[in-house]
Amino acid sequence: MSNFKIWQLVSLLCVMSFLLGCESKEERLQQTITHTLQDASTAINTLGTALDKKQLRNANLLIEYGKVLAQQKPQLSEIAKIIAQDATSSGTLYQSLLTRYQSLKSPAPTMSSDDIINQAILLKEAASISLFNDALTDPINVLADMSDGKLARVGAISQQAEHITNNGQAAVGNQLVGNANYGEWQTDSNGTSFWVWYGVYRMLGDIVGDVEYGRWSKHRRYSYYSDYGRHRYTSYKSYKRQTELVKRTKQSYQRQGKQFTSPYAKKKAGASGLSRSSNTPSSVTRSSYSRASSSGSIRNSSSRTSRGVSRGK
């Protein structure tokens, strides 16, 4: 065999080895995506079962708070009933986990492999019993504040203590403001952003009043979502919108010669007795939401997982 043919054979073998290596790497990546989504699916289903069987302490407490408030203030019975639904698998907080999972099964072409994997990990964490139990403290405390002190706050300092900390400016319902599961920030033609509640939660607008983003950012009070749970309980798209709003508002303030600090720059004082899980940083870093992944994007594929959440109500 001539030297030329030998060189051709060696070159061909090198190319084939390279292609096989790439295919193997892609297969391993797909397997990782499949496994992380399956783990998230299992966690979400387990949480749903626990809610249906009334095994979460704070879920049971939320239901009781809803009943007590409805009896105490009949005019608030409808909103109390709606908020108390978060104690069930048909509630907004749990259903948002299902929606996010379904979105990851058919992700947008712009989502990288790392983004999909990271989102699946965050979903698994959010569906853990201890973390979801802590996340329920926000709706619980909204009902507690509406009761004029008859119902005690959970996982947070008292309403009276917050009044003192905020110079008497504590607002009822503030725990759900900024939470992407209940509403969103919308910007008007003047460039000013206001909080808008979703659907049935619009009734909270009559209680909370208008909330302007810049003022809220400066005077934001403690909430589990904003101070501990935002990373885990926000969808990929909503988190990016929140990040973009912070950046856009900061630029607007700078043009006006004013200073703007992100509402998430530091935790607000007010947490009390949260689980160890809430105080443990997520295994997914915040930068994972916005960084460009070297692994590139993965196109939509229904074959990415072998099974999925089947608890949709």
Side-chain angles (χ1 to χ4, degrees), residues 96-156:
S96 68
L97 301 182
L98 290 175
T99 300
R100 287 166 58 190
Y101 174 81
Q102 294 300 329
S103 296
L104 287 180
K105 289 176 65 178
S106 299
T110 54
M111 286 190 74
S112 70
S113 310
D114 286 348
D115 285 332
I116 297 171
I117 293 170
N118 289 338
Q119 286 296 307
I121 293 173
L122 288 171
L123 269 178
K124 178 184 177 181
E125 293 177 354
S128 72
I129 301 297
S130 59
L131 282 172
F132 196 87
N133 201 59
D134 283 346
L136 290 175
T137 58
D138 279 344
I140 285 175
N141 291 334
V142 167
L143 297 184
D145 289 355
M146 290 180 182
S147 73
D148 298 328
K150 183 173 182 178
L151 298 170
R153 284 185 175 184
V154 174

Side-chain angles (χ1 to χ4, degrees), residues 260-280:
F260 174 81
T261 301
S262 168
Y264 315 111
K266 65 178 182 179
K267 292 180 180 178
K268 300 293 184 179
S272 174
L274 298 177
S275 69
R276 179 179 299 179
S277 297
S278 287
N279 288 286
T280 301

Side-chain angles (χ1 to χ4, degrees), residues 175-239:
Q175 292 90 344
L176 298 185
V177 174
N179 190 323
N181 296 293
Y182 304 95
E184 64 181 0
W185 297 103
Q186 293 186 1
T187 305
D188 62 20
S189 57
N190 296 320
T192 304
S193 298
F194 292 90
W195 181 251
V196 177
W197 300 96
Y198 291 142
V200 293
Y201 294 102
R202 292 185 186 278
M203 288 185 288
L204 276 171
D206 297 331
I207 299 172
V208 179
D210 294 334
V211 182
E212 188 270 322
Y213 183 71
R215 180 173 174 77
W216 175 81
S217 298
K218 183 177 181 180
H219 300 286
R220 181 180 72 79
R221 299 169 184 84
Y222 166 80
S223 73
Y224 177 81
Y225 173 83
S226 294
D227 291 296
Y228 289 89
R230 188 172 73 97
H231 193 39
R232 295 176 173 111
Y233 290 97
T234 309
S235 70
Y236 179 80
K237 290 184 178 179
S238 293
Y239 196 98

Side-chain angles (χ1 to χ4, degrees), residues 65-104:
Y65 272 36
K67 293 178 180 178
V68 172
L69 183 63
Q71 293 175 353
Q72 178 192 5
K73 296 185 175 182
Q75 70 275 21
L76 297 179
S77 60
E78 188 63 25
I79 190 61
K81 178 181 178 181
I82 291 170
I83 293 176
Q85 280 188 337
D86 269 335
T88 71
S89 59
S90 61
T92 295
L93 200 56
Y94 179 79
Q95 286 294 312
S96 68
L97 301 182
L98 290 175
T99 300
R100 287 166 58 190
Y101 174 81
Q102 294 300 329
S103 296
L104 287 180

